[in-house]
Amino acid sequence: MSFPLPLDGLSAIVTGAGRGLGRAEALELARLGAAVVVNDYGQPGRDGSGEASAAPAEEVAAEIRAAGGRAVAHLGDVSDHEQARALVALAADTYGRLDILVNNAGILRDRMVFSMTEEEWDAVVRVHLKGHFNTTHFAAAHWRARSKETGGPVYGRIVNTSSEAFLAGSAGQPNYAAAKGGIVGLTTSTALALAKYGVTANAICPRARTRMTEDVFAGFQEPADGALDPLAPEHVSPLVGYLASPAASGVNGQLLVVHGGMVAVVERPRVAAQFDAAKETFTFAELDGLLTPYYADRPPNETFAAAEVLGLKRR
């Protein structure tokens, strides 16, 4: 007896899907029944023998089609507003509508804040944060227009990619941590703005060994016994498939850490303490008398960052 696939009849975009995490996500969505637009910036090239080779996005789309699924490739740069418009239009024109948007595209330009160049800052913020905004903007406009046409909510899912670097405050990645923190803010804002249209928006913090993160995880050895690498992207993609599905209709505006057979739900920030001025406004002396002893009693070097997330692992 066969059962319907959870994403059957739905269409999806996955950005940065030519390799690594995005590739695993695109393959998983297709396995669950979705028709996929595989986005990755890059043109066809030449292999070692000089023969023409397909762009990574085209290879993944072909892999999906070879397995019996539906997929087309898009080679545009999501950090470019007009190319992001074309990406969403491609999904709508090819499949009749867009249902799922998975924002994964990103780059790294790691450097300490005192050594980072303006170009290194701008490049990472542009691809990650602006790239997430660009695709979200056009997808949101698509869903809003459809909702107005039908007079009710439509099906829409956004899965954004943040990072533990934002949660833990990665010292060598100020550009990346800032962009990933911005993505969480974009996600929660989008979740509230689009809920009335039937759209959910959530963010994940994945830990995966990919070409982009090979230096980050260089000290973590892959299993020698043929077992699945705890840092394999395949540990992340099922959560993306779930968040993209009808089953996750009650999950909105959430942040989840995922890797190695583990998913952790991150609690929202809570107010730890409140201080009120004795009169209409504070004086320096009053703040000194309240805040200095408060922070003196806090653990040394404790900040807003939650470094403990880096110790999460499957129990």
Side-chain angles (χ1 to χ4, degrees):
M1 181 178 181
S2 61
F3 295 92
L5 297 171
L7 303 184
D8 188 34
L10 302 178
S11 66
I13 289 171
V14 183
T15 71
R19 301 180 179 88
L21 186 57
R23 173 183 175 274
E25 292 168 343
L27 293 175
E28 177 70 3
L29 295 184
R31 189 186 71 80
L32 295 175
V36 184
V37 177
V38 181
N39 161 266
D40 203 86
Y41 184 48
Q43 301 301 318
R46 299 279 175 180
D47 61 21
S49 64
E51 294 293 323
S53 62
E58 293 173 331
E59 293 178 346
V60 175
E63 185 176 355
I64 290 172
R65 292 193 297 268
R70 293 182 296 161
V72 295
H74 178 269
L75 308 184
D77 178 3
V78 294
S79 71
D80 182 285
H81 204 59
E82 290 308 309
Q83 292 184 51
R85 183 200 301 272
L87 171 59
V88 173
L90 176 62
D93 293 344
T94 304
Y95 302 124
R97 67 176 196 262
L98 172 65
D99 301 295
I100 300 159
L101 171 63
V102 179
N103 283 311
N104 168 75
I107 61 172
L108 289 179
R109 298 290 187 271
D110 293 352
R111 195 89 63 183
M112 299 296 286
V113 69
F114 43 77
S115 302
M116 183 163 289
T117 67
E118 181 181 16
E119 189 281 329
E120 289 166 339
W121 173 272
D122 288 348
V124 168
V125 172
R126 182 180 67 250
V127 175
H128 287 274
L129 185 53
K130 187 184 178 188
H132 271 62
F133 161 73
N134 285 343
T135 54
T136 298
H137 166 76
F138 292 113
H142 169 79
W143 287 319
R144 181 172 179 264
R146 278 176 48 201
S147 178
K148 286 190 171 185
E149 289 174 4
T150 61
V154 298
Y155 190 98
R157 298 284 187 271
I158 299 173
V159 182
N160 288 333
T161 307
S162 183
S163 171
E164 293 171 296
F166 147 68
L167 289 171
S170 180
Q173 298 179 302
N175 48 3
Y176 184 71
K180 291 304 191 181
I183 286 168
V184 173
L186 173 64
T187 303
T188 55
S189 174
T190 302
L192 291 174
L194 300 186
K196 65 181 178 180
Y197 302 117
V199 179
T200 67
N202 295 285
I204 62 171
C205 293
R207 191 185 301 179
R209 193 193 308 273
T210 66
R211 191 179 66 159
M212 190 179 83
T213 63
E214 59 186 355
D215 292 337
V216 176
F217 297 123
F220 295 81
Q221 297 299 315
E222 297 185 48
D225 58 1
L228 183 64
D229 183 355
L231 294 173
E234 288 74 18
H235 287 295
V236 176
S237 53
L239 176 61
V240 173
Y242 166 75
L243 292 174
S245 76
S249 61
V251 185
N252 194 29
Q254 301 299 309
L255 179 64
L256 303 100
V257 176
V258 54
H259 58 80
M262 181 219 72
V263 173
V265 178
V266 179
E267 183 65 276
R268 65 182 179 85
R270 296 185 181 277
V271 177
Q274 178 179 332
F275 302 96
D276 298 320
K279 296 183 179 179
E280 184 177 359
T281 188
F282 279 109
T283 64
F284 174 88
E286 188 178 8
L287 288 170
D288 181 28
L290 292 170
L291 294 178
T292 300
Y294 173 76
Y295 281 106
D297 291 336
R298 298 283 289 256
N301 301 317
E302 181 184 78
T303 72
F304 189 75
E308 61 272 18
V309 299
L310 299 179
L312 288 170
K313 61 181 180 180
R314 187 175 179 223
R315 295 191 292 259

